[in-house]
Amino acid sequence: MPEEKKIYNKGFVVAGLIIFITIFMFPFWYNLGKAAPVPEPVLTEKAKAAKECIEPKSYMKAEHMQILDDWRSSVVRDENRVYVSSKEKEFDMSLSNTCLDCHSNKADFCDKCHNYASVNPYCWDCHIDKPKENK
Amino acid sequence: MENSRRTFLKIAGISALGLSAKPVFNAFAVSEEHGGKKEAKVLPKKGALTAKRWALVIDTTKFKSAKDLEPIIEACHKIHNIPVFENKRHEIKWIWEEEFKHAFPDLENEHINDRIKSLPFLVLCNQCQDAPCVRACPTKATFKQEDGIVAMDFHRCIGCRFCMAACPYGSRSFNFRDPRPFIKETNKKFPTRMKGVVEKCNFCSELLAEGKQPACVEASGGALIFGDLEDPESEVRKLLKSNYTIRRKTALGTGPSIYYIV
Ligand code: SF4
Ligand code: SF4
């Protein structure tokens, strides 16, 4: 008859396992049912009044970083400083002076999504974020 | 029988093809939503001042003492958000004053006249025709614009400071520290710099784009004259024709675009 299998130091092992699992699972339990809601960027009065950004909203949402990148190259490298939108409207290509002129609420507009998505663009190391404030 | 099997296979084949093409169509649909826009059009600003090669003439006969230079330096440093550091080794400067013997060491003359000896000279980046800083920059952060201005793309500067070593005029400053807390009054229309990039005079590209003269020229009360060196009718060319002018360290072959009437 085979010898009965037994766990040595059963008490310690089980206690250890319980402690381990508790600690390991803690972050999951802690955040249970608390999934951060998708943030909705806040529009300023000025941005609302303008109705539409330089391009349709869906396009801006998905491509604004690409647009800004293109703007940068165009302005810095080629001295072409005016953007003609798909609706033939002209805009000065400037993050601080055009984008943030309407969206003068960086914290509620830019940062909200950036924080949620955990992206840290370093635009603001140089570009001034509130061109309209304390003038 | 055979016929119908054939038809079946045909239909099955076409259907499989159709299904496999779906992701492709999906991709198109997506790109229509996002990038369906036609190629973006960009234009230069209307009313911008343009030239083949910008140059500056500094009429030093209009200056008496360092006091006359102050408002000029102030104007530039204010609009470009230049920080003020107590520690000279961290100093950032775009335009500053220099003694003749330092500005023009190759014209060194022990018995030079009193006026020149004591006169402060305004010095800044020479926007060199054959700029050594442009050659030295490994990232093309420093580059030459079509109008002759030696420009900087701060986004690309990695702070290697090769350009500073290459510039024979000391026209470049390095941001050893975050400049923001040291800017007295921020011009909200112009960006600041960040720690770790090099900067220098940009001939006020941003003002030229708005059809304005550089800030130093505006503030100089006629002592600084800005214009197109390649245009024989320009103000600078006329001045160069009727006055004796000198440039800094021409023997190095950099071809400075700043001329001094002495
Ligand atoms: S003066 Fe110096 S920084 Fe300016 S273009 Fe010439 S080499 Fe470059
Ligand atoms: S410090 Fe910046 S601008 Fe100067 S050479 Fe290096 S990358 Fe180019």
Side-chain angles (χ1 to χ4, degrees):
Chain A
M1 198 169 160
E3 213 182 304
E4 197 183 318
K5 288 206 174 123
K6 75 181 258 234
I7 302 172
Y8 295 103
N9 297 328
K10 198 168 179 178
F12 288 116
V13 171
V14 172
L17 267 178
I18 289 171
I19 291 170
F20 171 74
I21 289 173
T22 315
I23 293 175
F24 185 79
M25 295 298 285
F26 177 72
F28 298 96
W29 288 326
Y30 185 74
N31 285 322
L32 205 64
K34 275 203 291 190
V38 179
E40 192 56 36
V42 179
L43 290 180
T44 57
E45 289 306 316
K46 191 165 181 191
K48 271 186 209 150
K51 291 241 163 53
E52 191 173 284
C53 198
I54 58 163
E55 297 291 352
K57 190 172 166 187
S58 60
Y59 183 73
M60 293 311 294
K61 236 182 195 170
E63 304 285 336
H64 63 279
M65 52 300 255
Q66 189 56 47
I67 294 177
L68 287 172
D69 198 44
D70 291 344
W71 281 20
R72 163 177 84 182
S73 309
S74 175
V75 171
V76 178
R77 294 277 156 182
D78 312 326
E79 286 284 292
N80 286 328
R81 293 170 185 257
V82 176
Y83 176 77
V84 186
S85 76
S86 52
K87 290 191 175 157
E88 300 289 322
K89 263 178 112 179
E90 293 186 3
F91 296 93
D92 223 356
M93 291 191 270
S94 167
L95 174 61
S96 281
N97 302 322
T98 301
C99 306
L100 293 186
D101 186 36
C102 277
H103 302 294
S104 50
N105 54 340
K106 171 178 169 275
D108 283 334
F109 188 77
C110 313
D111 293 352
K112 254 196 167 166
C113 287
H114 289 167
N115 289 344
Y116 176 76
S118 190
V119 289
N120 296 300
Y122 45 83
C123 314
W124 320 108
D125 285 356
C126 296
H127 293 277
I128 294 166
D129 58 4
K130 284 173 191 163
K132 287 283 134 142
E133 232 179 44
N134 45 34
K135 235 190 185 167
Chain B
M1 181 70 200
E2 205 188 315
N3 228 355
S4 74
R5 185 199 284 149
R6 197 177 189 151
T7 329
F8 171 77
L9 281 178
K10 259 191 207 161
I11 291 171
I14 290 170
S15 312
L17 204 69
L19 280 179
S20 68
K22 190 164 179 290
V24 181
F25 284 118
N26 280 354
F28 274 121
V30 167
S31 68
E32 195 140 343
E33 189 180 300
H34 289 174
K37 200 176 65 70
K38 57 180 152 44
E39 269 290 283
K41 266 194 290 176
V42 291
L43 300 169
K45 232 176 181 170
K46 278 188 208 92
L49 301 182
T50 54
K52 287 221 179 69
R53 184 182 165 195
W54 286 118
L56 182 69
V57 175
I58 299 179
D59 187 350
T60 63
T61 62
K62 298 230 166 92
F63 296 126
K64 300 260 152 20
S65 68
K67 264 226 136 37
D68 301 335
L69 306 183
E70 268 167 25
I72 301 176
I73 298 172
E74 174 83 19
C76 166
H77 286 189
K78 207 167 148 190
I79 69 156
H80 293 121
N81 293 330
I82 310 289
V84 182
F85 290 113
E86 291 292 316
N87 187 345
K88 277 276 164 213
R89 295 160 84 182
H90 295 164
E91 189 184 25
I92 307 280
K93 50 194 205 283
W94 282 26
I95 180 166
W96 69 103
E97 55 170 80
E98 197 72 89
E99 283 177 72
F100 181 81
K101 65 172 186 237
H102 293 145
F104 300 91
D106 46 355
L107 301 179
E108 215 271 316
N109 177 350
E110 203 184 330
H111 301 294
I112 205 154
N113 66 14
D114 283 346
R115 188 181 76 86
I116 298 290
K117 205 184 224 167
S118 61
L119 191 72
F121 277 73
L122 209 52
V123 293
L124 63 156
C125 165
N126 284 289
Q127 313 293 350
C128 303
Q129 186 166 31
D130 193 357
C133 57
V134 173
R135 287 204 202 182
C137 180
T139 64
K140 289 210 166 94
T142 295
F143 64 101
K144 197 149 189 72
Q145 283 176 196
E146 286 193 0
D147 53 8
I149 296 178
V150 175
M152 281 219 52
D153 181 349
F154 299 110
H155 306 99
R156 283 184 83 146
C157 177
I158 55 170
C160 66
R161 303 166 69 205
F162 286 6
C163 55
M164 294 180 74
C167 172
Y169 306 97
S171 304
R172 297 175 156 262
S173 310
F174 182 68
N175 285 281
F176 283 97
R177 311 181 60 175
D178 176 16
R180 280 209 170 161
F182 301 91
I183 300 168
K184 287 213 174 111
E185 218 181 293
T186 315
N187 170 16
K188 303 268 175 192
K189 290 189 91 178
F190 198 77
T192 67
R193 265 69 57 197
M194 62 184 287
K195 181 176 159 185
V197 299
V198 165
E199 62 182 89
K200 69 165 192 80
C201 157
N202 66 347
F203 250 12
C204 285
S205 283
E206 81 282 4
L207 294 185
L208 300 178
E210 290 178 9
K212 293 187 194 142
Q213 295 269 313
C216 56
V217 176
E218 279 297 329
S220 72
L224 270 57
I225 301 95
F226 188 72
D228 189 353
L229 201 62
E230 307 268 301
D231 172 10
E233 297 305 315
S234 71
E235 184 80 12
V236 291
R237 280 291 289 275
K238 282 181 196 154
L239 279 170
L240 294 179
K241 213 169 181 178
S242 54
N243 292 278
Y244 175 66
T245 50
I246 54 174
R247 292 184 293 168
R248 295 179 68 197
K249 303 184 187 174
T250 44
L252 297 174
T254 57
S257 305
I258 314 285
Y259 291 77
Y260 296 83
I261 299 176
V262 286

